[in-house]
Amino acid sequence: MGDDCTAPHEAFLEYLPNQGVISLLNTVAEYVPKMSNIVWTVSCGETVIGFLISDENRSYTAEADCTDEFAQNISEIHCRHYYDYEFGNKYPDCGSLLEKVKKNLQMK
């Protein structure tokens, strides 16, 4: 992003842990930049708690990757975005960017 020279970006978002993971991800979706055709990973430490998948209209769909119980203990998260071009011909068996991101995370 053009403002990465001021990174890391930090914000305090209001979230009630009993609202669940999808609610947390939707709260994060309101904060991260609106970009098209990307996937954001939302992590707590080394654990990916979910994904934000954007479409060509820059709308996000949230997908949880942990339980609501895990989300109750989250105090800090980190977000990272992935573009399709980052993978090139890597993971030709994967059809979507989300599948490529998940496979990439498994390989680490």
Side-chain angles (χ1 to χ4, degrees):
M1 304 289 300
D3 62 350
D4 280 349
C5 62
T6 62
H9 302 287
E10 184 176 304
F12 294 94
L13 305 175
E14 189 170 322
Y15 163 72
L16 300 173
N18 61 349
Q19 292 176 311
V21 178
I22 293 296
S23 178
L24 170 62
L25 295 172
N26 287 327
T27 299
V28 174
E30 294 299 316
Y31 169 74
V32 296
K34 303 291 184 217
M35 300 188 299
S36 58
N37 302 315
I38 66 159
V39 170
W40 286 93
T41 55
V42 182
S43 304
C44 176
E46 296 295 318
T47 303
V48 174
I49 61 172
F51 304 91
L52 298 173
I53 306 102
S54 75
D55 61 19
E56 61 277 349
N57 297 317
R58 300 180 179 190
S59 296
Y60 289 111
T61 301
E63 181 179 304
D65 200 43
C66 73
T67 64
D68 286 343
E69 290 78 28
F70 181 86
Q72 291 179 5
N73 299 314
I74 293 173
S75 61
E76 185 175 305
I77 61 169
H78 299 276
C79 302
R80 178 178 179 198
H81 66 282
Y82 294 85
Y83 289 99
D84 199 39
Y85 72 82
E86 292 179 71
F87 297 104
N89 293 327
K90 197 173 184 182
Y91 313 126
D93 55 321
C94 296
S96 69
L97 176 56
L98 179 60
E99 290 172 355
K100 291 176 185 178
V101 170
K102 287 180 177 181
K103 185 143 190 174
N104 188 61
L105 293 171
Q106 290 173 352
M107 298 298 194
K108 289 185 175 183

